[in-house]
Amino acid sequence: MYYQVEEQDGYYRIGSPENVFCYLFVGSKQAALIDTGHGFGNLEQTVRSVTDKPLVIINTHGHCDHTGGNAQFEEVCYIGEKDIALCQEHSEAAMRRDNAKRAENSMNFETGETYNGLPEGFNLEEYCSRGTGTLQTVSEGTVFDLGGITLKIYETPGHTQGGISVLYLEKNILFVGDATGMFVWLFAKETTDLTTYVEAVQKMYDLNAVSYIGAHNPNPMKKEQLLRYIRAAKEADYDAGEPFESFFGKEYEPRVCALDHMTMAEMFHPDFASVVIGKDKRK
């Protein structure tokens, strides 16, 4: 199977070769799926292999690697209002084609090895013809009662203007998508200023969650780590940053601004924290 389903503490983690994780919750009344990844494989079939309950889909933000599988589902996909246009842009055929090409030449950044991240029998033209799915806006404070599992929405802009995080109330776990982490992209047109990002991470910190789950790292983040992410943003110095080669937003000339003069070579050091900003965010 293209997707790997692993049962966690009260939810399921769905992983894929392109290193994107989706999260599935199954309550007594209905189920919920946080993010749909790139959607290269049959995610709908994978979800239905776990549960046949009515499904709620939540997109943490509008980027292609979080909404690309939306169109596989008939259900409504909830997303922050300010990210609807972004989701539409990232669902266009040209963007999908580029994503598939990169996935075909994926790289393990820890080992440097390359591999094909597409499923066997992948149909490029069918993939490029998909849309956004049925989008519906969601706002702060919205609660989804799945039956024994309750999910609450928090607005956490920064990485994108309409980014949201989802709190699993019974377990006190916050699912943040790409809202924060050790390597946050804050340089593209859809990102906010650094102050807004810092305020969002402080908001996450103040929630005092047991753990914070991102979309590209299977290891939960702890509350104390968020303080490093805040400090990385507050101390970011574009002029001293390390140039970063991105597959989009090159016009912003992004640079990695890491804590304590670390470089990309130290990205997997446990104390690494950074923001990737553009020249327009130079202090």
Side-chain angles (χ1 to χ4, degrees), residues 182 225 228-229 259 262 266-273:
M182 66 179 184
Q225 290 174 259
R228 291 207 304 272
Y229 305 152
L259 279 181
M262 286 189 178
E266 301 167 278
M267 182 176 175
F268 296 100
H269 187 283
D271 293 329
F272 186 89

Side-chain angles (χ1 to χ4, degrees), residues 14 22-24 31-36 43 47 55-58 73:
I14 302 175
C22 309
Y23 298 97
L24 177 65
L33 178 68
I34 296 180
D35 287 337
T36 61
L43 180 61
V47 169
L55 185 65
V56 171
I57 298 172
I58 304 169
F73 298 89

Side-chain angles (χ1 to χ4, degrees), residues 35-187:
D35 287 337
T36 61
H38 279 292
F40 295 135
N42 193 330
L43 180 61
E44 194 272 343
Q45 183 183 67
T46 300
V47 169
R48 289 310 178 193
S49 72
V50 178
T51 179
D52 61 358
K53 285 185 168 65
L55 185 65
V56 171
I57 298 172
I58 304 169
N59 296 144
T60 58
H61 59 292
H63 282 152
C64 50
D65 55 336
H66 297 260
T67 63
N70 282 5
Q72 294 186 27
F73 298 89
E74 295 180 355
E75 292 83 0
V76 163
C77 301
Y78 291 92
I79 190 170
E81 183 175 8
K82 292 182 179 179
D83 269 19
I84 285 183
L86 177 64
C87 179
Q88 292 168 339
E89 177 186 347
H90 276 235
S91 293
E92 293 175 355
M95 178 74 78
R96 286 182 176 274
R97 195 174 299 275
D98 287 346
N99 293 338
K101 182 177 181 180
R102 279 191 300 275
E104 193 174 17
N105 299 279
S106 298
M107 175 180 288
N108 184 318
F109 290 100
E110 289 191 78
T111 66
E113 296 176 331
T114 58
Y115 61 93
N116 184 356
L118 295 176
E120 187 175 344
F122 177 73
N123 186 327
L124 178 61
E125 296 310 315
E126 186 279 328
Y127 179 73
C128 290
S129 69
R130 296 179 191 168
T132 64
T134 303
L135 301 180
Q136 184 167 319
T137 60
V138 69
S139 57
E140 173 122 7
T142 299
V143 172
F144 296 96
D145 179 2
L146 309 181
I149 295 177
T150 312
L151 305 179
K152 185 174 182 179
I153 302 299
Y154 288 88
E155 294 174 359
T156 50
H159 180 62
T160 67
Q161 295 176 32
I164 60 175
S165 295
V166 184
L167 184 63
Y168 180 0
L169 293 179
E170 286 79 6
K171 298 289 185 179
N172 195 24
I173 300 173
L174 189 69
F175 293 80
V176 304
D178 294 349
T180 194
M182 66 179 184
F183 188 70
V184 180
W185 292 20
L186 295 171
F187 60 85

Side-chain angles (χ1 to χ4, degrees), residues 244-283:
F244 176 67
E245 185 65 29
S246 170
F247 60 85
F248 74 93
K250 296 180 186 293
E251 66 272 23
Y252 298 100
E253 300 176 21
R255 294 185 182 181
V256 180
C257 300
L259 279 181
D260 304 326
H261 309 292
M262 286 189 178
T263 68
M264 286 288 288
E266 301 167 278
M267 182 176 175
F268 296 100
H269 187 283
D271 293 329
F272 186 89
S274 71
V275 291
V276 189
I277 60 176
K279 58 186 178 182
D280 60 321
K281 292 186 174 66
R282 182 190 281 114
K283 291 184 177 181

Side-chain angles (χ1 to χ4, degrees), residues 16-37:
S16 57
E18 71 271 18
N19 196 37
V20 180
F21 296 96
C22 309
Y23 298 97
L24 177 65
F25 307 80
V26 182
S28 62
K29 298 188 297 186
Q30 56 184 339
L33 178 68
I34 296 180
D35 287 337
T36 61

